[in-house]
Amino acid sequence: MLNLERLRTLDALARHGSVSGAAEALHVTTSAVSQQLGKLEREVDQQLLARNGRGVRLTDAGRLLAEHASRILSQVELAQSDLEAHRGQVVGELRLSAFPTAARGLFPAALAALRAQHPALRVRSSELEPETGIAGVVRGDLDLAVVLDWYNKPMPLPDGLVKAPLLDDPAEVALPVGHRLAECDEVDLGEFAEDEWITWGEGEFCHEWLMFTLRSRGVEPIVGHRAAETHTQLNLVAAGLGVCIAPLLGRHPMPEGVVMVPLKQRVRRHVYVVWRADADRRPSIRAAVQALRGAAEAMSRPGGVS
């Protein structure tokens, strides 16, 4: 009889390509991964791993079993989903993540609603960037992730995920009060060729979007400062250190010394929640999506965005 946890370890190794990657995904030590895989090799009486330089690779038998492991784990998830749906109760544990401004703007109301309506459901939440959240859902570390993409740069989703829209989040450019364009009714991104930008971390999806969008408008970006949080970016703007793109979600309270000016391009982020298709029938998933949509609708009303 194949051990499910050992198959999960093999699946993690196949997905991440290394013992350390599998250990990080499973939140265990590299020694624990090696022990589980050693037990699995003895269990099937075949070599599943071979040395590859300083790392390891799957043997033919290892790749074959890893393909089966992926299907088996998906079927287990589907069985659990069907059983939970059959029972019709919102119970158990639910793990979800959101990028920082969505965690700040949506989670308090959504998670409070879940606790009030479904006291038997244990919810665990974390702040994660969209790519990390999606990877966590794919691996099975998370049940749902609130993620985003931009009007002109979609976020690619792996096969096997389902998504539901939560809100469209308009963005404007934040300028210091004394900026030459602060009194304009609207501005074009091409007008910021000489300005320093305050942006997100190198390699983050939103940073890559900003670089792509500015270059499409003929601007080679001058990056002065980087900050993950919108409020940090806005305080840097208030100090006269540059300009930034500020979506409405998570913008308030606005620091003094900052002027928001609409963009002619009508820039928007699309905010949505993703989960695995094989978990689609779980009542807890549906309850969480409903709670997130309720929080998003409340924020979309006049005066509701924080």
Side-chain angles (χ1 to χ4, degrees):
M1 182 69 69
L2 292 170
N3 180 280
L4 192 61
E5 287 309 308
R6 292 167 198 157
L7 290 179
R8 196 179 304 279
T9 303
L10 179 64
D11 179 66
L13 179 69
R15 288 180 183 274
H16 297 280
S18 68
V19 171
S20 59
E24 182 179 354
L26 297 170
H27 305 290
V28 298
T29 64
T30 55
S31 176
V33 169
S34 297
Q35 290 174 17
Q36 288 283 62
L37 293 172
K39 290 177 181 179
L40 185 58
E41 285 187 323
R42 292 191 293 274
E43 197 169 70
V44 300
D45 194 25
Q46 293 192 57
Q47 184 180 358
L48 303 176
L49 302 177
R51 284 288 173 191
N52 184 31
R54 299 179 65 179
V56 296
R57 62 173 176 81
L58 292 174
T59 63
D60 289 345
R63 286 195 297 272
L64 178 64
L65 186 56
E67 291 173 1
H68 282 292
S70 178
R71 290 193 293 269
I72 290 167
L73 293 170
S74 179
Q75 285 297 312
V76 169
E77 179 73 37
L78 186 59
Q80 292 172 336
S81 177
D82 284 346
L83 284 171
E84 190 176 322
H86 185 266
R87 184 167 51 188
Q89 297 176 340
V90 181
V91 297
E93 182 174 276
L94 193 72
R95 302 153 300 170
L96 66 164
S97 74
F99 59 95
T101 52
R104 178 177 179 269
L106 298 177
F107 272 5
L111 302 189
L114 282 172
R115 173 173 288 186
Q117 296 166 16
H118 309 288
L121 180 67
R122 298 185 305 277
V123 178
R124 302 288 181 263
S125 69
S126 57
E127 282 189 3
L128 294 174
E129 291 300 323
E131 303 97 321
T132 308
I134 288 171
V137 173
V138 170
R139 290 194 305 264
D141 299 336
L142 296 168
D143 298 300
L144 304 101
V146 178
V147 300
L148 65 90
D149 59 22
W150 293 85
Y151 73 105
N152 60 341
K153 193 173 179 64
M155 169 75 77
L157 283 183
D159 292 338
L161 296 188
V162 178
K163 72 176 184 178
L166 296 177
L167 58 91
D168 277 351
D169 188 21
E172 299 173 332
V173 63
L175 309 175
V177 167
H179 193 278
R180 69 187 186 283
L181 301 175
E183 301 297 325
C184 295
D185 293 330
E186 60 181 14
V187 292
D188 189 285
L189 285 172
E191 298 178 78
F192 294 95
E194 304 302 321
D195 287 273
E196 286 194 26
W197 282 91
I198 300 161
T199 180
W200 297 266
E202 182 74 36
E204 289 186 15
F205 183 74
C206 288
H207 170 77
E208 296 303 321
W209 164 80
L210 181 60
M211 299 299 101
F212 165 81
T213 303
L214 288 172
R215 286 167 180 151
S216 73
R217 303 297 299 179
V219 174
E220 183 54 37
I222 304 170
V223 176
H225 306 277
R226 301 179 187 277
E229 274 284 4
T230 299
H231 279 137
T232 304
Q233 294 185 10
L234 290 173
N235 277 284
L236 291 170
V237 172
L241 298 174
V243 301
C244 76
I245 294 291
L248 193 56
L249 179 62
R251 182 192 300 176
H252 298 283
M254 185 72 67
E256 293 184 8
V258 176
V259 175
M260 302 305 306
V261 181
L263 285 159
K264 294 177 182 178
Q265 288 80 15
R266 297 296 183 260
V267 171
R268 285 184 173 271
R269 298 191 303 186
H270 308 302
V271 180
Y272 50 96
V273 58
V274 301
W275 64 95
R276 293 185 304 281
D278 52 22
D280 194 45
R281 296 187 62 204
R282 288 176 57 189
S284 57
I285 296 285
R286 297 186 178 191
V289 172
Q290 183 178 6
L292 287 165
R293 279 180 161 168
E297 288 173 5
M299 295 192 68
S300 298
R301 299 186 194 112
V305 175
S306 63

